[in-house]
Amino acid sequence: MGFVKVVKNKAYFKRFQVKYRRRREGKTDYFARKRLIIQNKNKYNTPKYRLIVRFSNKTIIAQVAYATIEGDKIVCDARSSELPRYGIKAGLTNYPASYAVGLLLARRLNQKYGLDETYVGVEQVDGEEYYVEKEGEKGAFYCVLDTGLARTSSGARMFGVLKGAVDGGLDIPHSSKRFPGYNAESGEYDAGTHRSRILGEHISSYMQTLLDEDEDAYKRQFAVYKKEGIMPDMIEDMYTKAHAAIRA
């Protein structure tokens, strides 16, 4: 047998440095986090705010936070589990719910800092591109999107939260290229498609199709909607009223 070089010898293990715990657990991308939280030195101790969006099987969580040496500090929090009090009692993890969570977070945050009357945002959902412009002495609340480990596919739900937060009056750098309705081939953005997605028209049309073709599948897939008495033709009105209730 030829000579075999021992790579992992005693010296190797003595010098081995384990990765951060959350890296070992596969929870944090520190390469991305470093670039999201590092602040310019000439800004001293000014917080760098992030719009953190996370999804579980049953809940959408949106938070605005900033990093300190002791850990992240949460400034504001909104969850889809709060939506039933605004009239959305089913479908708490879909795209329209994502938009509603983003809107709720934005209105709550602006109210906290006394900006809710200055930066109203988009009161009637139209899906159009919207960027907050400075009004008066105070600028709009600025933060950047933190997607974590989620894939940033075009049309993903996290961009629904982003759109809701922007329409609610927050200043977040973004592009319409990631929204539903953007055509990569033509390079054009169809606001109507995005509006229909925000108001759940794709859900109502699928509900109606199942109701007509396979009632058993409808009862199985939309059991919560059926229990709450939500019919396909009531979906858009439900979300419109919820947006108004969040702004009230």
Side-chain angles (χ1 to χ4, degrees):
M1 185 176 176
F3 173 75
V4 178
K5 184 180 179 183
V6 180
V7 177
K8 295 186 177 178
N9 53 19
K10 185 177 180 181
Y12 168 84
F13 287 108
K14 281 177 74 174
R15 289 166 175 78
F16 183 78
Q17 184 177 11
V18 296
K19 297 186 187 299
Y20 292 145
R21 176 180 58 82
R22 288 184 63 86
R23 172 62 189 88
R24 297 199 306 270
E25 293 173 352
K27 291 181 178 178
T28 298
D29 177 3
Y30 280 98
F31 186 86
R33 179 178 168 82
K34 177 183 175 183
R35 285 151 183 78
L36 282 168
I37 68 172
I38 285 182
Q39 181 63 288
N40 294 336
K41 293 294 184 185
N42 63 357
K43 292 183 181 176
Y44 302 97
N45 203 29
T46 305
K48 194 169 185 178
Y49 296 103
R50 310 186 329 269
L51 170 61
I52 301 168
V53 180
R54 299 291 184 268
F55 293 88
S56 71
N57 289 340
K58 293 184 177 181
T59 315
I60 302 167
I61 303 165
Q63 297 174 327
V64 170
Y66 63 95
T68 68
I69 200 163
E70 293 90 12
D72 285 7
K73 304 294 183 185
I74 306 300
V75 176
C76 191
D77 177 283
R79 294 162 189 256
S80 60
S81 54
E82 299 176 63
L83 295 180
R85 75 176 73 155
Y86 298 101
I88 303 173
K89 297 186 177 180
L92 300 181
T93 55
N94 55 27
Y95 195 93
S98 302
Y99 179 90
V101 169
L103 182 64
L104 177 61
L105 178 78
R107 300 314 299 159
R108 188 172 284 170
L109 185 63
N110 278 340
Q111 193 171 21
K112 179 177 180 178
Y113 289 109
L115 299 169
D116 52 325
E117 293 183 4
T118 308
Y119 296 100
V120 178
V122 180
E123 296 189 71
Q124 296 293 329
V125 175
D126 53 13
E128 295 286 350
E129 285 189 70
Y130 175 73
Y131 300 94
V132 180
E133 295 180 0
K134 184 178 178 181
E135 295 180 20
E137 294 181 1
K138 290 184 178 180
F141 190 95
Y142 178 87
C143 54
V144 293
L145 181 65
D146 181 343
T147 59
L149 299 175
R151 291 198 175 191
T152 53
S153 307
S154 295
R157 291 175 298 166
M158 70 183 73
F159 298 116
V161 179
L162 168 68
K163 180 61 174 168
V166 170
D167 283 0
L170 298 188
D171 182 9
I172 307 172
H174 66 282
S175 167
S176 61
K177 289 183 178 180
R178 285 300 184 200
F179 292 146
Y182 179 77
N183 190 321
E185 293 181 3
S186 65
E188 295 179 355
Y189 170 63
D190 180 16
T193 303
H194 196 186
R195 180 187 179 279
S196 67
R197 188 63 61 92
I198 291 169
L199 295 177
E201 289 181 18
H202 60 298
I203 299 169
S204 58
S205 62
Y206 182 58
M207 285 175 72
Q208 191 62 53
T209 302
L210 270 189
L211 192 59
D212 295 339
E213 297 178 1
D214 190 346
E215 195 167 340
D216 290 334
Y218 172 80
K219 289 177 181 178
R220 187 168 57 250
Q221 189 156 347
F222 293 99
V224 179
Y225 287 80
K226 193 171 185 299
K227 180 183 174 184
E228 297 293 341
I230 302 170
M231 298 303 291
D233 58 345
M234 298 165 62
I235 296 288
E236 184 174 338
D237 193 42
M238 176 181 75
Y239 287 116
T240 304
K241 287 181 178 177
H243 299 161
I246 287 169
R247 288 181 173 277

